[in-house]
Amino acid sequence: LIGVYFFLGNSYDNLYKPSRKGEPENDAYLTKAVAAYKKGVEVEQDKTLKTRCLQYLVAAYGPDKLDDPSQAEPLLNEMIKLDPAETANYVMLSKMYEDAGQYDAAEQTLVRAREEWENTFNGVPDLIAIIGTDHRILRVNKAMADSIGVTPEQAAGLRCYEVVHASATIPGNCPHALLLKDGREHTAEIHEDN
């Protein structure tokens, strides 16, 4: 039965009302939800459902429910271990540290998130450029920088059409220009003699 513990936990979780905190029957719903989520983390083979169980467990230990950050911290670390590229997990952990007044730990967590994002971004073999509305390059990955013969830092601020197409003007079929015009995704194959 795939996901049974997540859905059981979620059902109990939905029955719990924070405004009735302290009432035994109401609190029992949250206790049962936590137990089901924990069981889901233990037995679930599907990564998505296991992650959902962890996310809902973190929420159950949040300030509007059990208010126990010491229980949430190891869960967030497990979520980071499961998916190191998911920056939202680092942000949640950092926020928890910040709320507890542990500012150094919060900062270190965000530094880890930035490093993980940069490693992922630069590890992609595809050419990636983040381009501003003025067609200036904001950031490129290592593969893109290598292809245009500059470092990623040197690419920032350059006009994409100048470095990619060796042109003083924006190509007529430029997908970025079309996106800026109508807000929709565009693709184009451009063959250049270089």
Side-chain angles (χ1 to χ4, degrees):
L1 294 170
I2 296 174
V4 69
Y5 290 106
F6 168 74
F7 292 109
L8 178 63
N10 188 248
S11 296
Y12 284 125
D13 207 345
N14 286 329
L15 290 171
Y16 176 78
K17 303 297 178 215
S19 62
R20 293 180 45 216
K21 187 175 186 173
E23 295 178 19
E25 182 180 348
N26 185 56
D27 292 352
Y29 292 135
L30 193 53
T31 301
K32 290 177 182 178
V34 166
Y37 292 142
K38 283 182 177 180
K39 187 67 174 177
V41 169
E42 283 177 36
V43 302
E44 190 56 63
Q45 298 298 310
D46 181 85
K47 182 181 172 185
T48 302
L49 286 170
K50 183 174 187 155
T51 299
R52 289 277 184 272
C53 286
L54 286 164
Q55 290 169 332
Y56 281 66
L57 262 173
V58 168
Y61 290 118
D64 62 330
K65 293 184 179 176
L66 293 172
D67 195 19
D68 190 353
S70 68
Q71 295 293 320
E73 180 181 15
L75 299 169
L76 285 165
N77 281 317
E78 187 170 345
M79 289 166 61
I80 289 169
K81 211 161 77 177
L82 270 175
D83 189 358
E86 179 54 66
T87 55
N89 297 334
Y90 294 92
V91 172
M92 286 189 292
L93 183 58
S94 176
K95 175 76 170 113
M96 189 191 74
Y97 287 142
E98 184 181 332
D99 290 346
Q102 298 175 13
Y103 301 112
D104 288 342
E107 182 179 358
Q108 285 306 313
T109 302
L110 293 177
V111 167
R112 274 182 34 214
R114 184 190 71 222
E115 289 169 353
E116 187 59 44
W117 185 88
E118 287 175 352
N119 288 339
T120 302
F121 185 66
N122 286 317
V124 174
D126 297 326
L127 309 181
I128 301 174
I130 300 172
I131 303 169
T133 57
D134 60 354
H135 294 268
R136 289 193 183 274
I137 295 172
L138 301 174
R139 187 171 193 145
V140 297
N141 70 343
K142 181 164 177 9
M144 180 68 171
D146 290 347
S147 79
I148 59 176
V150 298
T151 67
E153 294 77 20
Q154 292 168 328
L158 300 175
R159 287 190 175 87
C160 60
Y161 53 87
E162 291 175 345
V163 294
V164 175
H165 307 292
S167 173
T169 60
I170 299 166
N173 62 344
C174 171
H176 187 61
L178 296 169
L179 168 107
L180 294 172
K181 185 176 180 180
D182 65 14
R184 297 196 310 202
E185 181 181 335
H186 295 272
T187 59
E189 278 193 41
I190 301 173
H191 299 279
E192 298 174 323
D193 299 325
N194 288 343

